Amino acid sequence: MNLSKSHQKVAVIERQQAVGGGCVHWGTIPSKALRHSVSRLIEYKANPLYRFTEKPQRHTFQDILNHASTVISKQSNLRSSFYERNRIHLYQGDASFVDKHTIKVQHIDGSQELLTARTIVIATGSRPYRPPSVDFSHPRIYDSDTILSLQHNPQRVLIYGAGVIGCEYASIFKGLGAKVDLINTRDRLLAFMDAEISDALSYHFWNSGIVIRHNEDFAKVETRDDGVILHLKSGKRVKADCILFANGRTGNTDDLNLEAIGLQADGRGQLKVNENYQTSIENVYAVGDVIGYPSLASAAFDQGRIAADAIAHGECAAKLIIDIPAGIYTIPEMSSVGKTEQQLTAAKIPYEVGRAQFKHLARAQITGTEVGSLKLLFHAETKELLGVHCFGERASEIVHIGQAIMEQKGPGNNVEYFVNTTFNYPTMAEAYRVAALNGLNRLCD
C-alpha cells in the first residue's frame, strides 16, 4: 500500500485463496482469538453471579474455533479491500525466481505466467519447524498451524517447546480443562523476559496445574491410535492424547528458486538484509518472518513501510525502533518494553524499581482480574524510564503507556510524569501512578 501511494505499480503474488498470510490464517489472529474466548470462559466460571444460577458448561476446542474463524474472515476481507482500494494487482499461485527481475507464477489450474518487475520484495513468512524424525502425518501429532484443524477433544495435551507459542497454547488448553504437560528445552520459561515476570508466569502455570519439565529434549515420539508417548533423552516417558510441537520456525524460502539469482538463505531458511531490508541482491528486498528477529506481525508492518520508502525514494530516514514491545498472550498476558533488571545490573546502570499490584487497583477488583502487576524500571539519578514489564490481563495494552513516555527525548522521559498526570479512575492505567510513587519513595535523598 505504501508503494502504491508513492505512485508505484504493484503486484502481490499470494499462494493461498485469501490474503493475510500466516498472521491472519494460522498464527497471530487465530491463537489470540482462541485465547480471548478461553479467557472469557474462565472469567465466566469464576464469576459468583453465575456460579449457582447456571449449569456449568464444558466447551471444546472446536466450539471456540468458531469465534476464531469469524475474526479470520473479517481480517482477510479487510486486507483484500485495502488491495482493491490501492489498485494493487493480486495473482494467486506459487512464486519462484527466473532471474532477479522475473517471477514465475504457478497457478492452481496448472497454468503459468511470468511477471517482470524493477524491484521484488520477499515477504513469504515462516512455518513451524518440523523435526525430520517425527511423523506429522499422524492424526495425533500437530504443529502450531495444523492444531487449528483439531477435531477431537483431548483430555491430556503434551506441548513440546515452551517458547511464546508453546506457553500461549498451554494456557488455552488448560483453560478448556485439559491436563497439560509443557516440555521446556531450557532452564526457565521465556528467558528473554524480565526474570520476575517470567517467574510469575511459571508460578501461575504451576498453580493452575500445568506440569512444566525444564531442560528436556525429545528422543523419539511413539505413536498409537489413541495418542502418543514422548520419550525424552533423560529417560522419562510422557503420555498424552495428542502432542503439539512448538519448537522454532523456518523461513519459507526453499521453493523460491533463490539459486537463480545467487541469493542464499541460512540454515533456518532466513535471509540477511541491511537496515533498509535490502538483500545482497540490489533490487531484491525481504521483510517479516523470513528475515528472522523479531518475527512479530507488529514489526513486520513497519519493516514493509520502511522498505517501501527505500524502494520509492532511494532511502528511508525512518528506522525500526530499538525498543520493540513484546506481547505474550498467555492467560494472563505478559508484555514488556525496554531493559530488564538483569540487563541493567549487568550494565552497572543505577536504577530503581516501582511496582503496582493489580489486586490493589479498583478496576481490577471490579473486573475480577486481580492477578498480576506492573513493574517500572527507571534511572535512580535522572529518573529516565528504562523498562516497563507487566503481567496480568490487558498487559499488552497497558505496556504502551510506558512505551510512549520511554520514546520521548530528553526530559520528556521521566517517571514523574505518572505522578503529575491525572488518570481516569478507576482504570488499569492507574497502575502507573501507583508504581511510580512506589519507586520514587525508594530513592535515597
Side-chain angles (χ1 to χ4, degrees):
M1 290 190 293
N2 199 3
L3 282 166
S4 181
K5 292 178 190 302
S6 298
H7 310 293
Q8 306 288 314
K9 186 178 180 182
V10 182
V12 170
I13 305 170
E14 172 57 59
R15 164 182 286 172
Q16 306 301 325
Q17 291 186 344
V19 300
C23 169
V24 169
H25 296 284
W26 307 283
T28 304
I29 297 303
S31 62
K32 278 50 176 181
L34 287 169
R35 184 250 177 226
H36 176 80
S37 296
V38 174
S39 179
R40 298 292 79 77
L41 179 62
I42 292 171
E43 287 183 14
Y44 167 78
K45 289 180 177 180
N47 194 319
L49 284 174
Y50 307 111
R51 192 170 299 164
F52 303 109
T53 60
E54 297 284 346
K55 182 180 179 181
Q57 292 184 339
R58 180 177 177 83
H59 291 270
T60 66
F61 193 79
Q62 297 86 4
D63 292 333
I64 61 172
L65 268 176
N66 292 333
H67 171 59
S69 62
T70 301
V71 179
I72 291 169
S73 178
K74 287 180 178 179
Q75 284 290 304
S76 183
N77 290 339
L78 182 67
R79 281 156 175 73
S80 292
S81 71
F82 291 159
Y83 286 179
E84 293 172 5
R85 187 185 311 164
N86 287 278
R87 296 181 177 85
I88 293 168
H89 303 272
L90 186 62
Y91 294 80
Q92 188 181 1
D94 289 319
S96 59
F97 282 94
V98 175
D99 57 50
K100 67 178 185 178
H101 290 289
T102 309
I103 292 290
K104 179 179 73 174
V105 182
Q106 180 76 39
H107 296 294
I108 295 176
D109 61 5
S111 63
Q112 298 178 355
E113 69 178 302
L114 299 179
L115 299 178
T116 59
R118 186 185 66 200
T119 307
I120 296 171
V121 181
I122 300 172
T124 48
S126 64
R127 64 184 183 275
Y129 170 69
R130 289 185 165 189
S133 61
V134 178
D135 179 15
F136 282 88
S137 66
H138 191 277
R140 295 301 178 98
I141 298 179
Y142 299 91
D143 61 27
S144 58
D145 286 354
T146 60
I147 193 67
L148 296 174
S149 63
L150 180 71
Q151 294 298 317
H152 62 106
N153 191 29
Q155 302 301 302
R156 183 165 184 175
V157 178
L158 177 57
I159 299 175
Y160 184 80
V164 173
I165 294 173
C167 287
E168 289 180 352
Y169 272 101
S171 289
I172 289 170
F173 281 109
K174 188 60 189 177
L176 286 172
K179 293 181 179 179
V180 177
D181 285 81
L182 182 61
I183 310 299
N184 185 17
T185 59
R186 302 184 179 183
D187 61 353
R188 63 182 298 122
L189 293 184
L190 305 173
F192 62 91
M193 298 289 284
D194 185 88
E196 280 189 345
I197 300 297
S198 63
D199 285 347
L201 180 68
S202 293
Y203 173 77
H204 191 77
F205 275 5
W206 172 82
N207 196 47
S208 68
I210 295 174
V211 176
I212 308 173
R213 304 173 192 268
H214 296 291
N215 293 313
E216 297 280 8
D217 285 296
F218 87 96
K220 67 174 183 176
V221 180
E222 178 185 344
T223 57
R224 298 181 177 182
D225 290 341
D226 62 345
V228 297
I229 297 176
L230 180 67
H231 295 252
L232 298 170
K233 290 182 178 179
S234 63
K236 301 183 186 74
R237 296 189 304 165
V238 187
K239 183 180 179 181
D241 297 331
C242 65
I243 182 170
L244 166 61
F245 268 86
N247 195 33
R249 297 185 68 82
T250 302
N252 292 323
T253 52
D254 40 349
D255 295 331
L256 297 180
N257 193 28
L258 295 177
E259 300 82 5
I261 60 172
L263 190 60
Q264 186 172 3
D266 64 17
R268 295 191 69 88
Q270 297 171 350
L271 300 172
K272 288 184 172 58
V273 294
N274 63 18
E275 61 181 6
N276 288 324
Y277 303 101
Q278 186 179 34
T279 68
S280 58
I281 308 302
E282 184 179 11
N283 72 302
V284 178
Y285 291 69
V287 297
D289 277 18
V290 77
I291 67 171
Y293 177 85
S295 295
L296 296 169
S298 55
F301 283 124
D302 288 331
Q303 290 168 352
R305 175 177 53 81
I306 294 167
D309 281 347
I311 292 167
H313 307 296
E315 61 180 354
C316 180
K319 303 300 177 191
L320 196 65
I321 61 172
I322 296 173
D323 291 320
I324 299 173
I328 301 169
Y329 296 84
T330 46
I331 303 174
E333 293 177 358
M334 303 167 66
S335 194
S336 70
V337 63
K339 302 299 184 184
T340 66
E341 282 203 66
Q342 294 69 46
Q343 291 170 331
L344 293 174
T345 299
K348 294 183 170 55
I349 296 175
Y351 72 92
E352 194 50 84
V353 183
R355 294 183 176 87
Q357 301 295 324
F358 284 2
K359 63 184 179 182
H360 297 145
L361 302 178
R363 184 62 177 267
Q365 294 167 357
I366 291 168
T367 58
T369 53
E370 299 180 38
V371 173
S373 62
L374 174 68
K375 176 177 176 180
L376 304 181
L377 306 177
F378 60 94
H379 199 288
E381 296 169 2
T382 66
K383 300 178 185 176
E384 175 188 3
L385 193 59
L386 303 171
V388 181
H389 308 279
C390 190
F391 175 69
E393 193 63 23
R394 301 289 187 270
S396 59
E397 303 279 359
I398 294 169
V399 74
H400 290 304
I401 300 171
Q403 179 193 22
I405 298 303
M406 280 182 58
E407 288 296 313
Q408 302 305 306
K409 306 303 180 186
N413 179 357
N414 194 305
V415 74
E416 289 188 344
Y417 167 84
F418 302 115
V419 178
N420 299 326
T421 297
T422 302
F423 289 90
N424 282 335
Y425 178 87
T427 59
M428 296 303 294
E430 187 200 0
Y432 278 95
R433 179 180 59 82
V434 176
L437 286 169
N438 178 268
L440 290 169
N441 287 338
R442 288 198 177 93
L443 291 177
C444 299
D445 294 332

mmCIF file of all heavy atoms in Angstrom, residues 356-387:
data_model
loop_
_atom_site.group_PDB
_atom_site.id
_atom_site.type_symbol
_atom_site.label_atom_id
_atom_site.label_comp_id
_atom_site.label_asym_id
_atom_site.label_seq_id
_atom_site.Cartn_x
_atom_site.Cartn_y
_atom_site.Cartn_z
ATOM 1 N N ALA A 356 3.325 -1.999 41.110
ATOM 2 C CA ALA A 356 1.904 -1.844 41.444
ATOM 3 C C ALA A 356 1.250 -3.212 41.300
ATOM 4 O O ALA A 356 1.323 -3.824 40.237
ATOM 5 C CB ALA A 356 1.239 -0.839 40.517
ATOM 6 N N GLN A 357 0.642 -3.696 42.378
ATOM 7 C CA GLN A 357 -0.066 -4.972 42.332
ATOM 8 C C GLN A 357 -1.489 -4.722 41.851
ATOM 9 O O GLN A 357 -2.183 -3.840 42.363
ATOM 10 C CB GLN A 357 -0.087 -5.608 43.730
ATOM 11 C CG GLN A 357 1.293 -5.874 44.329
ATOM 12 C CD GLN A 357 2.072 -6.911 43.552
ATOM 13 O OE1 GLN A 357 1.492 -7.865 43.043
ATOM 14 N NE2 GLN A 357 3.377 -6.732 43.483
ATOM 15 N N PHE A 358 -1.921 -5.520 40.861
ATOM 16 C CA PHE A 358 -3.263 -5.324 40.318
ATOM 17 C C PHE A 358 -4.353 -5.531 41.378
ATOM 18 O O PHE A 358 -5.424 -4.929 41.293
ATOM 19 C CB PHE A 358 -3.499 -6.285 39.150
ATOM 20 C CG PHE A 358 -2.798 -5.871 37.869
ATOM 21 C CD1 PHE A 358 -1.988 -4.744 37.834
ATOM 22 C CD2 PHE A 358 -2.966 -6.599 36.700
ATOM 23 C CE1 PHE A 358 -1.340 -4.359 36.671
ATOM 24 C CE2 PHE A 358 -2.337 -6.214 35.530
ATOM 25 C CZ PHE A 358 -1.519 -5.101 35.516
ATOM 26 N N LYS A 359 -4.097 -6.375 42.347
ATOM 27 C CA LYS A 359 -5.111 -6.674 43.352
ATOM 28 C C LYS A 359 -5.481 -5.446 44.185
ATOM 29 O O LYS A 359 -6.508 -5.438 44.868
ATOM 30 C CB LYS A 359 -4.643 -7.803 44.265
ATOM 31 C CG LYS A 359 -3.400 -7.483 45.090
ATOM 32 C CD LYS A 359 -2.946 -8.684 45.891
ATOM 33 C CE LYS A 359 -1.687 -8.402 46.697
ATOM 34 N NZ LYS A 359 -1.213 -9.599 47.434
ATOM 35 N N HIS A 360 -4.647 -4.399 44.120
ATOM 36 C CA HIS A 360 -4.921 -3.176 44.870
ATOM 37 C C HIS A 360 -5.658 -2.132 44.032
ATOM 38 O O HIS A 360 -6.012 -1.065 44.555
ATOM 39 C CB HIS A 360 -3.614 -2.565 45.394
ATOM 40 C CG HIS A 360 -2.886 -3.462 46.362
ATOM 41 N ND1 HIS A 360 -1.507 -3.540 46.430
ATOM 42 C CD2 HIS A 360 -3.369 -4.337 47.273
ATOM 43 C CE1 HIS A 360 -1.168 -4.417 47.354
ATOM 44 N NE2 HIS A 360 -2.268 -4.910 47.880
ATOM 45 N N LEU A 361 -5.860 -2.404 42.745
ATOM 46 C CA LEU A 361 -6.495 -1.432 41.852
ATOM 47 C C LEU A 361 -8.004 -1.646 41.822
ATOM 48 O O LEU A 361 -8.484 -2.774 41.665
ATOM 49 C CB LEU A 361 -5.938 -1.552 40.437
ATOM 50 C CG LEU A 361 -4.419 -1.375 40.267
ATOM 51 C CD1 LEU A 361 -4.035 -1.564 38.798
ATOM 52 C CD2 LEU A 361 -3.959 -0.018 40.771
ATOM 53 N N ALA A 362 -8.745 -0.568 41.902
ATOM 54 C CA ALA A 362 -10.208 -0.666 41.916
ATOM 55 C C ALA A 362 -10.738 -1.312 40.643
ATOM 56 O O ALA A 362 -11.661 -2.129 40.684
ATOM 57 C CB ALA A 362 -10.819 0.724 42.103
ATOM 58 N N ARG A 363 -10.169 -0.949 39.488
ATOM 59 C CA ARG A 363 -10.665 -1.506 38.217
ATOM 60 C C ARG A 363 -10.461 -3.020 38.167
ATOM 61 O O ARG A 363 -11.331 -3.755 37.698
ATOM 62 C CB ARG A 363 -9.953 -0.831 37.036
ATOM 63 C CG ARG A 363 -10.470 -1.277 35.653
ATOM 64 C CD ARG A 363 -11.949 -0.924 35.481
ATOM 65 N NE ARG A 363 -12.456 -1.262 34.165
ATOM 66 C CZ ARG A 363 -12.493 -0.434 33.131
ATOM 67 N NH1 ARG A 363 -12.012 0.807 33.259
ATOM 68 N NH2 ARG A 363 -12.997 -0.809 31.993
ATOM 69 N N ALA A 364 -9.321 -3.491 38.627
ATOM 70 C CA ALA A 364 -9.051 -4.927 38.641
ATOM 71 C C ALA A 364 -10.005 -5.651 39.591
ATOM 72 O O ALA A 364 -10.465 -6.763 39.306
ATOM 73 C CB ALA A 364 -7.606 -5.186 39.039
ATOM 74 N N GLN A 365 -10.334 -5.012 40.714
ATOM 75 C CA GLN A 365 -11.281 -5.610 41.665
ATOM 76 C C GLN A 365 -12.679 -5.683 41.058
ATOM 77 O O GLN A 365 -13.409 -6.655 41.252
ATOM 78 C CB GLN A 365 -11.284 -4.802 42.966
ATOM 79 C CG GLN A 365 -9.968 -4.876 43.730
ATOM 80 C CD GLN A 365 -9.867 -3.831 44.829
ATOM 81 O OE1 GLN A 365 -10.765 -3.004 44.997
ATOM 82 N NE2 GLN A 365 -8.763 -3.854 45.575
ATOM 83 N N ILE A 366 -13.051 -4.651 40.310
ATOM 84 C CA ILE A 366 -14.368 -4.618 39.674
ATOM 85 C C ILE A 366 -14.487 -5.720 38.622
ATOM 86 O O ILE A 366 -15.505 -6.416 38.537
ATOM 87 C CB ILE A 366 -14.618 -3.239 39.038
ATOM 88 C CG1 ILE A 366 -14.784 -2.176 40.121
ATOM 89 C CG2 ILE A 366 -15.854 -3.265 38.124
ATOM 90 C CD1 ILE A 366 -14.752 -0.748 39.601
ATOM 91 N N THR A 367 -13.436 -5.874 37.797
ATOM 92 C CA THR A 367 -13.486 -6.825 36.678
ATOM 93 C C THR A 367 -13.069 -8.240 37.080
ATOM 94 O O THR A 367 -13.186 -9.167 36.271
ATOM 95 C CB THR A 367 -12.575 -6.349 35.530
ATOM 96 O OG1 THR A 367 -11.225 -6.215 36.019
ATOM 97 C CG2 THR A 367 -13.053 -5.013 34.986
ATOM 98 N N GLY A 368 -12.588 -8.397 38.303
ATOM 99 C CA GLY A 368 -12.162 -9.720 38.745
ATOM 100 C C GLY A 368 -10.858 -10.185 38.117
ATOM 101 O O GLY A 368 -10.606 -11.379 38.000
ATOM 102 N N THR A 369 -10.027 -9.230 37.695
ATOM 103 C CA THR A 369 -8.730 -9.568 37.092
ATOM 104 C C THR A 369 -7.608 -9.062 38.000
ATOM 105 O O THR A 369 -6.821 -8.198 37.623
ATOM 106 C CB THR A 369 -8.604 -8.954 35.691
ATOM 107 O OG1 THR A 369 -8.871 -7.536 35.768
ATOM 108 C CG2 THR A 369 -9.607 -9.581 34.736
ATOM 109 N N GLU A 370 -7.546 -9.628 39.189
ATOM 110 C CA GLU A 370 -6.622 -9.138 40.210
ATOM 111 C C GLU A 370 -5.250 -9.796 40.160
ATOM 112 O O GLU A 370 -4.344 -9.397 40.893
ATOM 113 C CB GLU A 370 -7.233 -9.338 41.598
ATOM 114 C CG GLU A 370 -8.539 -8.574 41.786
ATOM 115 C CD GLU A 370 -9.140 -8.787 43.164
ATOM 116 O OE1 GLU A 370 -8.377 -8.854 44.147
ATOM 117 O OE2 GLU A 370 -10.375 -8.922 43.258
ATOM 118 N N VAL A 371 -5.080 -10.815 39.308
ATOM 119 C CA VAL A 371 -3.778 -11.471 39.201
ATOM 120 C C VAL A 371 -2.862 -10.612 38.343
ATOM 121 O O VAL A 371 -3.211 -10.250 37.220
ATOM 122 C CB VAL A 371 -3.911 -12.876 38.571
ATOM 123 C CG1 VAL A 371 -2.540 -13.482 38.313
ATOM 124 C CG2 VAL A 371 -4.730 -13.777 39.471
ATOM 125 N N GLY A 372 -1.683 -10.275 38.863
ATOM 126 C CA GLY A 372 -0.711 -9.561 38.054
ATOM 127 C C GLY A 372 -0.175 -8.304 38.686
ATOM 128 O O GLY A 372 -0.592 -7.906 39.787
ATOM 129 N N SER A 373 0.740 -7.668 37.963
ATOM 130 C CA SER A 373 1.377 -6.458 38.473
ATOM 131 C C SER A 373 2.059 -5.707 37.339
ATOM 132 O O SER A 373 2.294 -6.257 36.260
ATOM 133 C CB SER A 373 2.422 -6.811 39.543
ATOM 134 O OG SER A 373 3.461 -7.612 38.977
ATOM 135 N N LEU A 374 2.359 -4.445 37.613
ATOM 136 C CA LEU A 374 3.122 -3.601 36.702
ATOM 137 C C LEU A 374 4.436 -3.248 37.371
ATOM 138 O O LEU A 374 4.465 -2.921 38.561
ATOM 139 C CB LEU A 374 2.349 -2.320 36.375
ATOM 140 C CG LEU A 374 3.099 -1.265 35.539
ATOM 141 C CD1 LEU A 374 3.350 -1.769 34.126
ATOM 142 C CD2 LEU A 374 2.321 0.050 35.516
ATOM 143 N N LYS A 375 5.507 -3.288 36.595
ATOM 144 C CA LYS A 375 6.849 -3.034 37.139
ATOM 145 C C LYS A 375 7.543 -1.990 36.269
ATOM 146 O O LYS A 375 7.642 -2.157 35.047
ATOM 147 C CB LYS A 375 7.634 -4.349 37.147
ATOM 148 C CG LYS A 375 9.075 -4.262 37.577
ATOM 149 C CD LYS A 375 9.641 -5.680 37.573
ATOM 150 C CE LYS A 375 11.094 -5.709 37.903
ATOM 151 N NZ LYS A 375 11.624 -7.087 37.906
ATOM 152 N N LEU A 376 7.978 -0.896 36.877
ATOM 153 C CA LEU A 376 8.697 0.171 36.181
ATOM 154 C C LEU A 376 10.147 0.187 36.631
ATOM 155 O O LEU A 376 10.436 0.125 37.836
ATOM 156 C CB LEU A 376 8.073 1.536 36.470
ATOM 157 C CG LEU A 376 6.578 1.716 36.168
ATOM 158 C CD1 LEU A 376 6.153 3.145 36.489
ATOM 159 C CD2 LEU A 376 6.277 1.382 34.717
ATOM 160 N N LEU A 377 11.061 0.266 35.677
ATOM 161 C CA LEU A 377 12.491 0.408 35.972
ATOM 162 C C LEU A 377 12.928 1.785 35.495
ATOM 163 O O LEU A 377 12.709 2.120 34.322
ATOM 164 C CB LEU A 377 13.298 -0.684 35.258
ATOM 165 C CG LEU A 377 12.864 -2.134 35.507
ATOM 166 C CD1 LEU A 377 13.714 -3.092 34.678
ATOM 167 C CD2 LEU A 377 12.951 -2.480 36.982
ATOM 168 N N PHE A 378 13.521 2.577 36.390
ATOM 169 C CA PHE A 378 13.934 3.919 35.993
ATOM 170 C C PHE A 378 15.285 4.266 36.601
ATOM 171 O O PHE A 378 15.708 3.697 37.616
ATOM 172 C CB PHE A 378 12.882 4.959 36.386
ATOM 173 C CG PHE A 378 12.596 5.035 37.862
ATOM 174 C CD1 PHE A 378 13.249 5.956 38.685
ATOM 175 C CD2 PHE A 378 11.658 4.193 38.453
ATOM 176 C CE1 PHE A 378 12.983 6.036 40.043
ATOM 177 C CE2 PHE A 378 11.386 4.263 39.813
ATOM 178 C CZ PHE A 378 12.049 5.186 40.611
ATOM 179 N N HIS A 379 15.999 5.187 35.934
ATOM 180 C CA HIS A 379 17.333 5.594 36.367
ATOM 181 C C HIS A 379 17.239 6.289 37.721
ATOM 182 O O HIS A 379 16.424 7.202 37.901
ATOM 183 C CB HIS A 379 17.959 6.517 35.329
ATOM 184 C CG HIS A 379 19.436 6.640 35.437
ATOM 185 N ND1 HIS A 379 20.069 7.344 36.457
ATOM 186 C CD2 HIS A 379 20.443 6.140 34.657
ATOM 187 C CE1 HIS A 379 21.383 7.281 36.296
ATOM 188 N NE2 HIS A 379 21.638 6.560 35.205
ATOM 189 N N ALA A 380 18.064 5.880 38.651
ATOM 190 C CA ALA A 380 17.978 6.400 40.020
ATOM 191 C C ALA A 380 18.358 7.875 40.111
ATOM 192 O O ALA A 380 17.965 8.563 41.068
ATOM 193 C CB ALA A 380 18.877 5.578 40.946
ATOM 194 N N GLU A 381 19.085 8.384 39.133
ATOM 195 C CA GLU A 381 19.524 9.783 39.188
ATOM 196 C C GLU A 381 18.715 10.675 38.251
ATOM 197 O O GLU A 381 18.217 11.733 38.658
ATOM 198 C CB GLU A 381 21.019 9.863 38.859
ATOM 199 C CG GLU A 381 21.890 9.130 39.891
ATOM 200 C CD GLU A 381 23.324 8.967 39.432
ATOM 201 O OE1 GLU A 381 23.660 9.458 38.318
ATOM 202 O OE2 GLU A 381 24.106 8.333 40.156
ATOM 203 N N THR A 382 18.557 10.268 37.005
ATOM 204 C CA THR A 382 17.846 11.114 36.038
ATOM 205 C C THR A 382 16.337 10.852 36.027
ATOM 206 O O THR A 382 15.584 11.642 35.451
ATOM 207 C CB THR A 382 18.388 10.865 34.616
ATOM 208 O OG1 THR A 382 18.074 9.519 34.218
ATOM 209 C CG2 THR A 382 19.900 11.067 34.570
ATOM 210 N N LYS A 383 15.932 9.743 36.639
ATOM 211 C CA LYS A 383 14.523 9.297 36.676
ATOM 212 C C LYS A 383 13.984 8.939 35.284
ATOM 213 O O LYS A 383 12.775 8.885 35.068
ATOM 214 C CB LYS A 383 13.632 10.347 37.346
ATOM 215 C CG LYS A 383 14.043 10.637 38.792
ATOM 216 C CD LYS A 383 13.185 11.705 39.421
ATOM 217 C CE LYS A 383 13.690 12.056 40.827
ATOM 218 N NZ LYS A 383 12.931 13.167 41.411
ATOM 219 N N GLU A 384 14.888 8.697 34.338
ATOM 220 C CA GLU A 384 14.507 8.268 32.997
ATOM 221 C C GLU A 384 13.931 6.861 33.043
ATOM 222 O O GLU A 384 14.495 5.965 33.678
ATOM 223 C CB GLU A 384 15.746 8.291 32.093
ATOM 224 C CG GLU A 384 15.528 7.747 30.705
ATOM 225 C CD GLU A 384 16.843 7.631 29.938
ATOM 226 O OE1 GLU A 384 17.916 7.923 30.525
ATOM 227 O OE2 GLU A 384 16.795 7.241 28.764
ATOM 228 N N LEU A 385 12.790 6.649 32.386
ATOM 229 C CA LEU A 385 12.167 5.335 32.353
ATOM 230 C C LEU A 385 12.983 4.429 31.432
ATOM 231 O O LEU A 385 13.224 4.751 30.268
ATOM 232 C CB LEU A 385 10.731 5.455 31.845
ATOM 233 C CG LEU A 385 9.814 4.239 32.018
ATOM 234 C CD1 LEU A 385 9.676 3.853 33.478
ATOM 235 C CD2 LEU A 385 8.445 4.520 31.404
ATOM 236 N N LEU A 386 13.403 3.267 31.958
ATOM 237 C CA LEU A 386 14.297 2.376 31.236
ATOM 238 C C LEU A 386 13.628 1.076 30.799
ATOM 239 O O LEU A 386 14.070 0.436 29.851
ATOM 240 C CB LEU A 386 15.517 2.032 32.113
ATOM 241 C CG LEU A 386 16.327 3.225 32.624
ATOM 242 C CD1 LEU A 386 17.353 2.766 33.643
ATOM 243 C CD2 LEU A 386 17.014 3.932 31.458
ATOM 244 N N GLY A 387 12.583 0.677 31.507
ATOM 245 C CA GLY A 387 11.917 -0.571 31.168
ATOM 246 C C GLY A 387 10.544 -0.652 31.801
ATOM 247 O O GLY A 387 10.325 -0.133 32.905
#
